Amino acid sequence: MSETSIATLIAHLPSTEAAATVLNPSNGRKIFDLPQLQEHQVVAAVKNAKTAQDDWSQTPVYTRERALLRLHDILLANEEKLLDLLQLETGKSRAHAFEETAGAISAAAYYGKISGKTLARKRTKAGVPLLTKTYVDHIPVGVVGVITPWNYPLALTMLDVLPALAAGNAVVQKADNQTALTVLFARHLAVEAGIPEDAWTVVTGDGATVGNAIVDNVDYVAFTGSTETGRKVAQRAAGRLIGCSLELGGKNPMIVLEGANLKRAAEIVLSGAFSSAGQLCVSIERVYVANSDKAKFLEILAAKTQELKVGKSNDFSVDIGSLGGYNQLQRVSGFINDAVAQGAEVVAGGKALPEIGPYFYAPTVITDVPETARMVRREVFGPVVNVEGYDSIDEAIEKANDSDFGLNASVVGPVKSAKEVARYLHAGSVNINEGFRASFASMQSPMGGTKTSGQGRRNGPGGLLRFTETKVIGIASTALRLPSRAKDYEKMAPLMRVLLKVLRRITL
Ligand code: NAD
């Protein structure tokens, strides 16, 4: 991206004294300096957004839908630029950037089509049939704060910002410093599609400073990030009694059933565990395979993993790109070094690849990791998969569920048995014969986690309705005389009792 284009995009941000230097993870070189906002600038952004929201909420929902459908077409027309930008800021391979772009574009089409229907006024069964009527409206909450991480800047932006806008809210979004350009470009395209300038504001800066200012001022928060930060956001939002949805970390298991095709299972691990170099919340980090299959499976998986091409390229010739930066490299190598020091065996990878670039790490298969190793229970968030054996399916299910997280899970094997196992797994999604894409790609299916993986769901109609309040309108017929004095109740009581019995039969 040229310096002029970068300057045009960051012109959206107010000027600041402080700036953060953003590096290209693939080569460690500086891309640009990103303004770092102070608390008062975020407060001003929310205030401005509130004014814009008053007008935006008055636009008919089909006008908002049309803007989203136009955005869908504009995103498609700009796909190559989006892919370049995603690769520049995240270091991910073209293939993984492509997967992300496809998800973002689907979100625009989905909310461009279902919002009117989902938000439409709904009649509800009246308390006193014929004499009262009730209906429910969905009212936008006001200004929605969206806080996004660096790893999927385009998809995660679209999955939260678009339904918030479609519901008639304004959005103030905190983009992560590392991938703010992608978010700013997405917003720029949305404005081109007809979203008013001030209905979607992007802010950047220190996580706690800007994050706190958002949570303290908006009407609802959609947070995506680590469980640790999510807890802080939830506590702060609870103090103000505002709603929040939390899409947090995972430690996602896969069970390979006895009788599964082991070659196929290994291929599913390649995409399930190494997409975006494993820096994906729904990435598979633990694989449980029958002890009788374990040696064979490890042999196949190690061979396939070693065949993966790691590198940097703006075409589709590379399987896996770079980690997101210095902190990610420290994190991933720290987990592996700790496990190896405690006796774990690396069967593929297990090392950084500085000959390619400063933050590249080889896709890694590890086994026999002792329970005391840090990576057993914590999210590695890198291209690392830990393979363990099991003796019975009950043991496999118990091991899969033995985690504080509950975001995603996978079962590989004959579909009938896999569906049965899926019933017992504690996770927001279970993918059969896939790592995560079967559920993740469905815009209509709610996505989110149980346990410490979060609360609330994005996608589906619920992903839109979380950004609304319901308002019930009750209308009494002028012919209805409801009691107002104690004596009236006494007179009405026999009739009421009959009515309650009738209602028991006719209402659901
Ligand atoms: P993070 O929690 O460090 O940061 C996420 C965002 O929160 C960033 O924009 C950051 O600047 C901001 N932030 C930091 N401190 C804050 C505070 N006190 N208040 C408010 N905001 C604050 O997470 P990360 O390292 O950027 O992202 C990786 C994590 O995100 C992983 O755990 C991953 O599993 C998770 N994730 C979850 C999903 C999902 O849908 N469940 C999707 C992507 C990533």
Side-chain angles (χ1 to χ4, degrees):
M1 174 164 266
S2 71
E3 278 179 25
T4 331
S5 317
I6 293 176
T8 312
L9 289 179
I10 60 175
H12 169 67
L13 301 167
S15 59
T16 57
E17 275 172 27
T21 299
V22 181
L23 305 179
N24 175 346
S26 295
N27 57 25
R29 286 194 214 116
K30 173 175 160 175
I31 311 174
F32 72 119
D33 286 321
L34 180 70
Q36 300 292 281
L37 275 63
Q38 295 301 309
E39 185 188 344
H40 69 92
Q41 293 171 306
V42 180
V43 174
V46 176
K47 209 169 157 204
N48 204 30
K50 183 62 204 148
T51 310
Q53 195 262 333
D54 288 342
D55 288 341
W56 179 239
S57 64
Q58 299 305 314
T59 57
V61 66
Y62 59 81
T63 306
R64 306 199 293 258
E65 282 188 331
R66 275 210 305 269
L68 262 51
L69 291 175
R70 268 196 305 274
L71 177 60
H72 169 274
D73 299 346
I74 292 173
L75 288 168
L76 255 184
N78 283 275
E79 194 192 52
E80 289 292 319
K81 282 188 200 158
L82 287 163
L83 292 175
D84 288 346
L85 203 45
L86 277 172
Q87 285 198 277
L88 177 77
E89 289 193 304
T90 66
K92 64 177 72 178
S93 70
R94 193 92 172 161
H96 297 148
F98 180 79
E99 236 173 42
E100 175 170 359
T101 314
I105 295 173
S106 324
Y110 179 70
Y111 287 112
K113 286 192 280 190
I114 68 135
S115 298
K117 198 167 66 181
T118 309
L119 297 171
R121 173 172 289 178
K122 310 231 169 19
R123 272 291 288 274
T124 42
K125 276 220 156 83
V128 187
L130 305 178
L131 295 175
T132 61
K133 261 196 238 168
T134 41
Y135 58 84
V136 181
D137 283 338
H138 295 283
I139 310 297
V141 288
V143 179
V144 172
V146 173
I147 302 178
T148 40
W150 59 270
N151 65 328
Y152 272 66
L154 184 65
L156 297 172
T157 291
M158 295 304 180
L159 294 175
D160 285 339
V161 171
L162 298 188
L165 289 171
N169 301 286
V171 169
V172 175
Q173 178 185 8
K174 187 210 167 293
D176 189 278
N177 283 344
Q178 182 60 40
T179 48
L181 271 188
T182 303
V183 174
L184 286 165
F185 186 48
R187 177 197 166 275
H188 171 81
L189 297 179
V191 171
E192 194 181 320
I195 303 292
E197 286 269 354
D198 290 340
W200 179 2
T201 306
V202 176
V203 290
T204 50
D206 170 67
T209 309
V210 174
N212 287 347
I214 288 191
V215 182
D216 289 348
N217 290 281
V218 298
D219 303 301
Y220 185 97
V221 187
F223 174 82
T224 306
S226 63
T227 296
E228 193 188 353
T229 314
R231 264 205 187 94
K232 293 182 195 159
V233 169
Q235 281 165 359
R236 221 173 167 98
R240 294 191 56 228
L241 294 178
I242 59 167
C244 68
S245 57
L246 303 163
E247 302 288 347
L248 310 177
K251 183 76 193 169
N252 311 300
M254 173 189 284
I255 297 178
V256 179
L257 299 178
E258 275 184 282
N261 176 328
L262 296 185
K263 272 194 196 152
R264 183 73 201 111
E267 276 158 14
I268 294 169
V269 173
L270 298 189
S271 58
F274 303 141
S275 282
S276 289
Q279 302 164 115
L280 169 62
C281 55
V282 286
S283 198
I284 299 299
E285 295 207 355
R286 307 177 278 147
V287 173
Y288 300 103
V289 58
N291 273 320
S292 52
D293 288 333
K294 188 179 164 199
K296 182 82 194 148
F297 178 71
L298 275 173
E299 190 188 319
I300 299 169
L301 180 60
K304 285 190 182 292
T305 302
Q306 276 149 1
E307 278 168 19
L308 292 172
K309 189 168 172 202
V310 184
K312 46 186 164 191
S313 163
N314 279 67
D315 60 27
F316 289 89
S317 60
V318 154
D319 293 303
I320 298 185
S322 173
L323 293 180
Y326 176 81
N327 290 345
Q328 274 299 105
L329 181 64
Q330 293 303 307
R331 180 183 174 103
V332 174
S333 44
F335 277 121
I336 295 295
N337 296 345
D338 167 65
V340 170
Q342 297 196 46
E345 187 196 349
V346 168
V347 292
K351 58 180 189 311
L353 301 170
E355 62 279 18
I356 304 177
Y359 313 122
F360 282 81
Y361 199 90
T364 299
V365 181
I366 193 166
T367 187
D368 298 332
V369 180
E371 178 62 32
T372 47
R374 286 190 292 126
M375 66 169 287
V376 169
R377 296 195 168 270
R378 288 178 53 192
E379 182 185 34
V380 174
F381 210 54
V384 175
V385 65
N386 176 12
V387 178
E388 263 201 53
Y390 65 80
D391 285 322
S392 68
I393 194 61
D394 288 347
E395 184 193 350
I397 293 170
E398 196 181 314
K399 283 181 165 173
N401 286 337
D402 183 16
S403 168
D404 289 340
F405 294 105
L407 188 59
N408 179 41
S410 161
V411 188
V412 176
V415 174
K416 191 161 175 260
S417 320
K419 277 165 78 178
E420 184 58 21
V421 170
R423 291 178 54 213
Y424 297 97
L425 294 177
H426 304 157
S429 54
V430 181
N431 283 270
I432 292 174
N433 293 325
E434 229 304 303
F436 59 85
R437 292 174 295 190
S439 67
F440 203 51
S442 165
M443 278 305 306
Q444 208 177 28
S445 305
M447 189 250 159
T450 61
K451 300 193 260 184
T452 63
S453 289
Q455 69 180 29
R457 297 287 185 266
R458 60 158 64 101
N459 298 354
L464 175 73
L465 292 174
R466 74 192 145 136
F467 298 123
T468 63
E469 301 276 12
T470 52
K471 185 193 276 185
V472 178
I473 308 292
I475 306 166
S477 148
T478 45
L480 179 66
R481 292 282 175 274
L482 288 173
S484 45
R485 305 290 309 269
K487 281 273 175 216
D488 301 336
Y489 281 93
E490 194 179 8
K491 272 192 234 148
M492 258 190 82
L495 181 64
M496 272 302 286
R497 287 182 194 121
V498 173
L499 192 62
L500 286 169
K501 282 184 190 158
V502 174
L503 286 177
R504 160 76 174 78
R505 289 174 185 278
I506 62 168
T507 54
L508 292 176

